[in-house]
Amino acid sequence: MAYRTLTSHDEGAVRTLAVNRPDKLNALDLETLNELTLAFAQAAQDEAVRVVVLTGTGEKAFVAGADIAQMHDYTPLQAQSFSRVGQALMLTIERLGKPVIARVQGYALGGGMELAMACHFRIASDKAKFGQPEVNLGLIPGFGGTQRLLRLAGRSAALELCLTGRQIDATRALSLGLVNEVVEAERLDETVNALSAHLAASAPRAVAGILDAVLAGGECAIEQGLDYETQAFALCFSSEDMREGTKAFLERRKPQFKGH
Ligand code: COA
């Protein structure tokens, strides 16, 4: 399927989606949000896709935020709808059931940082910059930033970044637990490729179970979280991959997961 604001490229079981508005530093307008939502829904349904890499076109920006020019004239009701579309996209990504890696090569600001935080991994170039600068526009984050930043990095970092609107570099983002790894810009692709290949070769039922248990469990009482874990654990026993993984261990060989 052809998109106007995105590119999509498959290599084996890894689908790479790139926001493709480099002249606007990949800012998220409504059309881009809608196309991303569709693209992720398709990735969820396509059994051949095991991992999604999300990035932006060009070296300068992952995504520099929601489209300020579009928002400028919004009424409160339009803003409410825009926020809900953005939040629904972030939930679609978070609940995809397949790992999503944000490849952050440059600016990840505002909606760009919110997009990165909805992914399951963030691999950043040492040139990446993060921030929630909405306060500088008389705004607040509207695509889940106040909530995901709070959960990922704690209240102190969430208040600092949202209230000051300041940009932080990748090293500070790493120290706050906002990114998984920071690598030199030249090593970004090989790092993302190695991680995506590793995840794509894993047993998908187990991967989906971990995503479900960690993400749903993080939002509820421990008894309910433990129940999610038990259900996901038990479901793995319905897969051939689980029989293969345990058998391979007993036979002292590497498992060959087939994805069912
Ligand atoms: N929305 C709409 N357009 C954006 C944008 C955004 N969030 N971020 C950048 N752009 C556009 C600029 O308007 C400019 O377009 P133009 O060439 O048609 O004038 C183009 O992208 C390049 O950006 P520019 O500001 O010239 O690049 P820069 O290198 O001087 O600065 C940034 C880079 C990221 C620091 C700066 O673009 C910026 O502050 N962007 C907004 C970040 C933000 O507040 N995001 C949260 C939005 S809620």
Side-chain angles (χ1 to χ4, degrees), residues 166-222:
R166 71 168 62 121
Q167 285 179 25
I168 58 169
D169 64 16
T171 308
R172 175 92 202 282
L174 183 67
S175 76
L176 291 175
L178 274 176
V179 300
N180 298 85
E181 194 173 350
V182 180
V183 297
E184 288 170 6
E186 305 73 50
R187 289 197 48 240
L188 184 60
D189 282 326
E190 73 180 73
T191 308
V192 169
N193 291 345
L195 176 61
S196 54
H198 177 83
L199 294 167
S202 301
R205 186 62 261 154
V207 168
I210 290 164
L211 288 170
D212 279 355
V214 172
L215 292 167
E219 304 300 329
C220 58
I222 188 160

Side-chain angles (χ1 to χ4, degrees), residues 23-25 27 60 64-68 71 107 109-110 133-134 137:
D23 55 327
K24 296 294 175 193
L25 302 188
K60 200 166 163 183
D67 192 307
I68 299 168
M71 284 192 297
Y107 291 114
L109 301 176
E134 291 88 347
L137 304 166

